Amino acid sequence: MTLHAPLDDVTPSPPQLSRPIDIARWCAAQGWPVHPLAAGRKTPARNCPACQAAGHDPAGCACLRQGRWCHGFHAATVDSELIDSWWGAHPAFGVGVACGPARLVVIDVDAHPTPVPDRNRLLPGIPIDPRVDLAGLATGFDTLALLAALRREADPAADTSTLRVRTPSGGLHIWYRAEPGQTFLCSTGSSSSRALAWQVDVRAHGGYIIAPGTRTQDGVYTAVGECRVPAPLPRWLAQELSRTAHVPAARPPQQARSIPPRARQAVAVAGGRDGSAERLLHRLLADIEACASVPHGAGFTAKLNRAAYTAGGLVAGGYLSVHDAETMLTEAAHHARPGQEGRSDKIISSGLTRGSTRPLYLQERS
């Protein structure tokens, strides 16, 4: 087989940006929620002692509601005030991008010098005919090219229509955008040990990717070529991700039927609900609306963040629909801060997405 050629067309990314705070702002402007990485490292920056303890649950952590960066991608935001606060106080922080809220699917190609496994372990679920010559196969670049060749498709590593980022270790991040309604999962962070191919993993919902331009102790994550925009995920790759279990398991039918339809009725009337969710959400909405009388210093961003995050948890817990949550939050935010609709909508979208990863189940009275 023909080995993948080195990528030499490397240019600065994002263009002319070297300070982490500028990279974070650039990513947020693309609609990609960001969170701090520890200075010089690839791992999220830690915050309060409680959040560093093993088993600490992000869903119950006050730091997220207070606009702090605990819990990595769970704290990711596009809010300019939080971004300026976080990176302004810690300018050496790196920049991580939460893939799920950004609807990103990043193909993570490694080039580690490790022994090549048996041919039947190179592509999960695909036996490779003994007649296929694998001489020279050495990295994830080769297995990704092999997968593409077997499917009679172009090699994603050479896809100039999408953002590609060279890693300090010689690997490559190939950025794609999931279509609305599509959800794909990370290869990591699960007990099933998913992979697209040997030395080829996926960064998607439930994980993060290092932003282009970020510097670690090993080097800079540098864009390749001219494109800085993720292209739509190719259909054949979406099919491969589904085949290799990078999709969520289907929810039981009774859960899908539990979501009520009407806006402003934040809780289901039937089914034993007693209005706890409605009271909780309406209290948070009232806090947002009260900011209308205080143009500055009312904590509007933190309050909207908290309400959106909580609403996302209520959606995941089956208390209300996404449409109802968006409607109520949007009405309150636009009333409190007219003329700032774009910023408010980004905070709402980010908060709902983060909250939806942590279903909220309230204690109901019998």
Side-chain angles (χ1 to χ4, degrees):
M1 66 177 290
T2 301
L3 292 180
H4 192 281
L7 298 169
D8 296 323
D9 53 334
V10 176
T11 55
S13 171
Q16 308 304 318
L17 301 184
S18 58
R19 296 192 309 165
I21 190 171
D22 294 328
I23 295 171
R25 290 168 177 164
W26 181 84
C27 289
Q30 317 310 307
W32 306 337
V34 293
H35 61 92
L37 302 178
R41 303 182 63 182
K42 300 189 294 183
T43 53
R46 291 182 172 183
N47 201 333
C48 70
C51 296
Q52 299 180 33
H56 184 62
D57 185 4
C61 180
C63 291
L64 295 180
R65 295 192 298 272
Q66 295 168 0
R68 301 175 69 182
W69 63 78
C70 291
H71 303 291
F73 66 85
H74 293 287
T77 184
V78 294
D79 179 24
S80 59
E81 290 183 7
L82 285 177
I83 290 171
D84 289 350
S85 173
W86 293 349
W87 276 274
H90 301 274
F93 275 166
V95 182
V97 176
C99 294
R103 293 194 5 245
L104 292 172
V105 179
V106 182
I107 309 302
D108 183 2
V109 184
D110 288 331
H112 301 314
T114 57
V116 178
D118 178 81
R119 67 173 54 227
N120 290 324
R121 294 174 55 200
L122 293 174
L123 302 177
I126 301 178
I128 301 176
D129 192 293
R131 293 171 294 181
V132 176
D133 183 9
L134 299 179
L137 184 146
T139 70
F141 286 99
D142 304 320
T143 52
L144 182 60
L146 175 62
L147 176 62
L150 290 174
R151 298 302 189 228
R152 300 183 183 275
E153 300 287 351
D155 182 2
D159 186 356
T160 59
S161 72
T162 197
L163 171 62
R164 295 171 298 156
V165 179
R166 172 69 81 179
T167 72
S169 62
L172 186 71
H173 293 164
I174 309 165
W175 292 48
Y176 287 112
R177 183 180 72 252
E179 297 297 337
Q182 290 183 320
T183 300
F184 297 99
L185 304 175
C186 278
S187 296
T188 56
S190 72
S191 58
S192 58
S193 188
R194 295 178 288 258
L196 185 61
W198 176 66
Q199 289 209 26
V200 181
D201 290 329
V202 177
R203 306 286 176 165
H205 182 80
Y208 67 95
I209 194 71
I210 297 175
T214 297
R215 178 181 293 277
T216 68
Q217 58 190 6
D218 298 319
V220 181
Y221 285 74
T222 310
V224 174
E226 300 296 326
C227 186
R228 297 295 180 270
V229 180
L233 180 70
R235 179 176 299 180
W236 77 271
L237 272 176
Q239 293 172 340
E240 289 301 313
L241 293 176
S242 178
R243 184 184 63 80
T244 52
H246 288 88
V247 293
R251 293 199 307 172
Q254 62 270 24
Q255 284 185 292
R257 289 196 300 266
S258 68
I259 301 177
R262 294 187 54 185
R264 287 293 178 189
Q265 229 173 350
V267 231
V269 179
R273 308 288 188 183
D274 72 347
S276 299
E278 184 177 25
R279 289 194 297 273
L280 170 60
L281 187 55
H282 283 187
R283 188 163 58 245
L284 295 173
L285 292 171
D287 287 343
I288 295 170
E289 292 174 348
C291 295
S293 61
V294 185
H296 305 286
F300 169 77
T301 296
K303 290 176 180 177
L304 182 57
N305 231 349
R306 178 184 179 189
Y309 182 85
T310 302
L314 293 174
V315 169
Y319 291 90
L320 77 160
S321 70
V322 174
H323 176 266
D324 295 348
E326 288 179 340
T327 299
M328 289 185 284
L329 289 163
T330 300
E331 287 179 358
H334 292 185
H335 170 75
R337 290 293 183 267
Q340 300 183 26
E341 286 81 2
R343 171 171 163 258
S344 295
D345 290 348
K346 287 182 179 180
I347 297 172
I348 290 169
S349 176
S350 174
L352 282 173
T353 303
R354 289 188 293 111
S356 67
T357 65
R358 296 290 174 176
L360 183 58
Y361 301 108
L362 303 179
Q363 179 101 27
E364 304 292 351
R365 291 187 301 225
S366 56

